[in-house]
Amino acid sequence: MKNKLLAFFIILIISNTAFSEENKFFSIEVEPLFGIRNGKIIESVFELDNNEYKKLSHLNWEHFFNIFLGGKIELSFANFNFSFSSAGFIPKPSGIMDDSDWLELNDVKNIYSISENYLVNSFFIETDLSIDIQFTSWFTLSPTFNFSYNNTYFEAKNGYGWYGSENYTSTGNNESWDSEYAKFFPKGKLYGITYNRMTLETWIGGTTTFTPVEKIKFNLSAFINPILYLESFDHHIKKGYYADIAYNYFNAFKGRLEISYYITKPLSINLLTSVKYIKETQGLSYFSNDEKNYLQITDVKSGSGEVIFDITLSASYKF
């Protein structure tokens, strides 16, 4: 049964290649693009307590209307497509970074602070490899493999917060951050933090293409990750340098919806919305005093995750 199914798809691809009059055997499509990113990058610390890793610290680094500019090029050979895209971000203020700590590893949050977040630099590179299987003149299914690399560097400063740790409270004990015993530090009194997140991402999935009328096309894509690598470096000023490494297997998802309007046959205007969710993933944590010699922190695990929303506007021309 499996052999018959495989033979069916091979015949379908060959017949599309041989007899399709709509597509050229070879084409190139170029696409300058402009986009906006919202969402957050998650950074956590888990500490071992009674054979269980419990959350000690949690930081949210916010993407807030961050603007990126770039381009995409797609090469098509018959029904096979390969695309390469890249974009860089404009440095700007990027919402807030909030930091929470549970010093006794229970439900009582002892420290809570908020800092101004700045996007210092960021860029991404992405490739798609797909095969078009055309079922009708208006419906196509394209199994797709996707690879992407992302690099984001944030800086948090001008922070303020409430410290309920025993060395700051009026009781000499750990207290809740919002209690009357906690100490408040006004804006600008907290040390800053820098954070650099890099990800190598592999995705498998597919795209369904609908063409309800001649000038309008809808692309709907869904992906899951076979493996995803996350690497982070942060510098807590006056405290030291930290590095986190984590691997995520089949616990991240990505979806895209693109609407294209064809002004002429080769020229289109495109609106793309996408969402990416990487479930918070535990990994290894390292510490260094000099940013050179990192040692693994025993009985501690890092936590890394992301929720990203992109809106992209582009124009494409096919030769």
Side-chain angles (χ1 to χ4, degrees):
M1 181 63 185
K2 291 183 178 179
N3 292 335
K4 290 181 179 179
L5 186 62
L6 178 61
F8 168 75
F9 279 106
I10 292 174
I11 293 171
L12 188 61
I13 293 171
I14 293 174
S15 64
N16 270 273
T17 302
F19 301 109
S20 175
E21 297 180 358
E22 292 293 325
N23 301 313
K24 299 177 182 179
F25 181 79
F26 173 74
S27 64
I28 301 176
E29 188 171 8
V30 293
E31 185 177 353
L33 56 88
F34 161 86
I36 295 174
R37 173 166 293 182
N38 285 291
K40 63 181 178 179
I41 290 178
I42 296 168
E43 176 194 7
S44 299
V45 177
F46 295 85
E47 189 173 289
L48 186 63
D49 180 58
N50 293 325
N51 297 317
E52 179 184 357
Y53 281 95
K54 298 179 181 179
K55 185 167 286 191
L56 171 67
S57 177
H58 184 94
L59 295 81
N60 294 308
W61 297 84
E62 186 178 11
H63 276 287
F64 184 74
F65 286 93
N66 290 327
I67 299 168
F68 58 88
L69 301 170
K72 176 181 176 181
I73 183 168
E74 182 172 277
L75 308 178
S76 297
F77 301 86
N79 289 57
F80 297 87
N81 312 296
F82 173 78
S83 69
F84 174 87
S85 58
S86 179
F89 286 76
I90 298 174
K92 62 178 285 293
S94 182
I96 65 169
M97 186 280 286
D98 64 87
D99 185 358
S100 302
D101 295 282
W102 297 262
L103 301 178
E104 297 182 358
L105 307 178
N106 54 27
D107 294 333
V108 179
K109 183 192 297 189
N110 306 106
I111 300 174
Y112 180 62
S113 64
I114 299 172
S115 300
E116 296 174 358
N117 191 31
Y118 290 82
L119 180 66
V120 179
N121 61 64
S122 182
F123 69 93
F124 64 83
I125 298 170
E126 188 168 331
T127 63
D128 272 3
L129 179 63
S130 64
I131 303 172
D132 294 337
I133 303 174
Q134 188 170 345
F135 289 91
T136 69
S137 60
W138 54 270
F139 175 73
T140 302
L141 176 63
S142 305
T144 305
F145 171 79
N146 174 275
F147 171 81
S148 61
Y149 171 78
N150 296 266
N151 190 310
T152 303
Y153 188 90
F154 284 123
E155 181 180 5
K157 54 188 178 181
N158 296 326
Y160 60 93
W162 298 261
Y163 278 62
S165 55
E166 60 183 10
N167 50 327
Y168 289 113
T169 61
S170 57
T171 64
N173 300 314
N174 289 328
E175 304 287 353
S176 175
W177 70 276
D178 57 355
S179 74
E180 60 182 309
Y181 310 111
K183 182 175 181 178
F184 174 71
F185 287 86
K187 186 174 182 179
K189 293 297 182 180
L190 302 181
Y191 290 119
I193 305 174
T194 64
Y195 186 71
N196 187 197
R197 164 71 61 83
M198 294 170 285
T199 62
L200 291 170
E201 305 168 10
T202 61
W203 304 91
I204 53 174
T207 299
T208 55
T209 301
F210 301 91
T211 311
V213 295
E214 185 179 358
K215 288 184 174 293
I216 298 178
K217 182 174 71 175
F218 293 89
N219 288 329
L220 180 63
S221 306
F223 299 91
I224 191 170
N225 66 311
I227 182 172
L228 193 149
Y229 173 79
L230 304 100
E231 181 179 276
S232 307
F233 295 90
D234 69 67
H235 177 204
H236 290 245
I237 298 173
K238 300 292 186 179
K239 293 184 180 180
Y241 301 85
Y242 296 85
D244 301 328
I245 294 176
Y247 293 88
N248 182 303
Y249 304 95
F250 293 99
N251 255 319
F253 308 92
K254 182 163 68 172
R256 302 187 298 213
L257 173 61
E258 183 176 29
I259 304 173
S260 300
Y261 176 76
Y262 285 84
I263 300 173
T264 63
K265 189 69 174 179
L267 176 63
S268 67
I269 302 297
N270 316 293
L271 179 64
L272 172 67
T273 60
S274 65
V275 58
K276 178 174 68 175
Y277 168 72
I278 302 175
K279 184 178 179 181
E280 187 174 31
T281 306
Q282 291 188 354
L284 301 179
S285 185
Y286 301 84
F287 175 78
S288 171
N289 284 311
D290 56 9
E291 202 179 5
K292 294 180 181 179
N293 301 306
Y294 282 90
L295 296 176
Q296 184 178 346
I297 308 173
T298 58
D299 298 335
V300 167
K301 285 189 175 182
S302 63
S304 303
E306 294 183 13
V307 181
I308 301 295
F309 301 94
D310 287 347
I311 298 178
T312 307
L313 181 64
S314 65
S316 59
Y317 191 91
K318 181 179 286 190
F319 297 90

